[in-house]
Amino acid sequence: MGSHPQASSYTAAAPRGFFNLIWGIVATILSVLWTAICAISAASAALINKPHWVTLVTRAWGRGIIGVSGIKVQIEGLENLTGLRSYVLVANHQSFFDIFATAAYMPGEPRFVGKKELLKVPLVGFAMKHGGHILIDREAGGQAIRKAIKIIQSGLDVCVFAEGHRFNDNRIHEFEDGAAWLAILSKLPVVPMSISGSGVFFPRGAMFVTPGLTMKMRIGKPISTDGMRSADRTELTHRLEEAVRASFTTEV
């Protein structure tokens, strides 16, 4: 699987005047404060074993940040999730707004797969650890995998950003096989989703959001993992990458 460039360059949108700049600064500050409040609330709900409350808080967190930033989220293909009890959602990754929008608008009980380094982030790390999110510790080996599968099979839905980290060059990069592996081991359907546009208004390394813009999420048809074995994860990863690439757009 190559990286198959979709465009040669991709730069952040310039602030549209003084008002837009101030809006972006204020929205970012408010988002940080809102994150702290929601992290405490989500962690508290998790500690008293209320996973659905965690979902409600996480949804409010995502919608609050999107709302204060004036971001419009276009979603296509939600009908493809109808009837799925649980699933593994696999997407590309351009900015933190991919997380906000997924948390805000995906049905079910969405949780995220992240790196163990997130545990070091004040409040957020604690909330993720206790809120049913999957934090990957490669040094833990099989123990980490068993814990991840247990979380997935508890009825939660899991979102994996399969490129490994954020890219804002307007391309789909090669997918890692961890998402396919988790789906196969947990025997859950896997759903591809492309995310377009979010890298424009909050690219990797940006300090403030450029508000009032649009991102697009396209949800593909679920792929059953029935009968698949661990050895099939490379082929499944390729199918997921190609499905995301096919629905990705360089202009929103």
Side-chain angles (χ1 to χ4, degrees), residues 2-251:
S3 59
H4 298 292
Q6 306 253 355
S8 58
S9 63
Y10 193 49
T11 56
R16 296 170 295 174
F18 181 74
F19 172 77
N20 187 267
L21 175 61
I22 296 300
W23 181 7
I25 293 172
V26 172
T28 302
I29 293 171
L30 290 177
S31 295
V32 171
L33 295 174
W34 183 233
T35 296
I37 293 170
C38 290
I40 294 171
S41 301
S44 300
L47 290 175
I48 60 174
N49 196 29
K50 296 291 185 180
H52 185 59
W53 291 8
V54 174
T55 300
L56 294 178
V57 171
T58 305
R59 224 178 275 290
W61 170 66
R63 293 187 180 188
I65 293 175
I66 289 169
V68 77
S69 302
I71 300 301
K72 181 179 180 181
V73 182
Q74 299 175 348
I75 306 177
E76 299 177 5
L78 276 173
E79 66 277 4
N80 291 323
L81 301 178
T82 302
L84 296 182
R85 187 183 67 85
S86 293
Y87 56 89
V88 176
L89 188 68
V90 181
N92 62 303
H93 198 13
Q94 296 188 325
S95 86
F96 285 128
F97 275 82
D98 306 339
I99 301 172
F100 306 150
T102 300
Y105 300 115
M106 290 301 104
E109 305 280 344
R111 298 295 190 273
F112 296 93
V113 173
K115 299 177 181 178
K116 69 173 183 177
E117 285 74 17
L118 288 170
L119 290 172
K120 300 177 182 178
V121 180
L123 297 177
V124 173
F126 185 85
M128 291 194 70
K129 179 180 179 180
H130 295 281
H133 300 278
I134 299 171
L135 299 176
I136 299 299
D137 183 355
R138 298 183 186 277
E139 297 177 358
Q143 181 181 357
I145 294 298
R146 288 191 294 272
K147 181 179 180 181
I149 293 172
K150 183 178 180 180
I151 290 174
I152 293 173
Q153 292 179 332
S154 69
L156 301 175
D157 307 303
V158 177
C159 176
V160 183
F161 296 110
E163 293 166 307
H165 61 84
R166 287 167 285 141
F167 290 94
N168 56 276
D169 57 0
N170 212 22
R171 297 190 285 178
I172 302 297
H173 291 256
E174 184 174 357
F175 279 14
E176 298 178 355
D177 65 3
W181 197 18
L182 283 177
I184 291 171
L185 292 178
S186 59
K187 304 185 188 306
L188 289 179
V190 62
V191 181
M193 179 176 72
S194 66
I195 302 175
S196 307
S198 62
V200 173
F201 50 81
F202 201 65
R204 187 181 179 93
M207 292 186 63
F208 304 109
V209 64
T210 300
L213 299 179
T214 301
M215 61 183 289
K216 179 174 289 187
M217 306 166 73
R218 287 175 169 165
I219 303 166
K221 294 185 179 299
I223 300 172
S224 173
T225 60
D226 289 346
M228 290 188 182
R229 300 177 298 174
S230 179
D232 297 318
R233 66 182 184 273
T234 299
E235 180 183 352
L236 179 57
T237 299
H238 179 74
R239 290 177 63 186
L240 289 165
E241 182 184 328
E242 291 305 314
V244 170
R245 193 183 304 282
S247 64
F248 179 78
T249 180
T250 58
E251 297 182 4

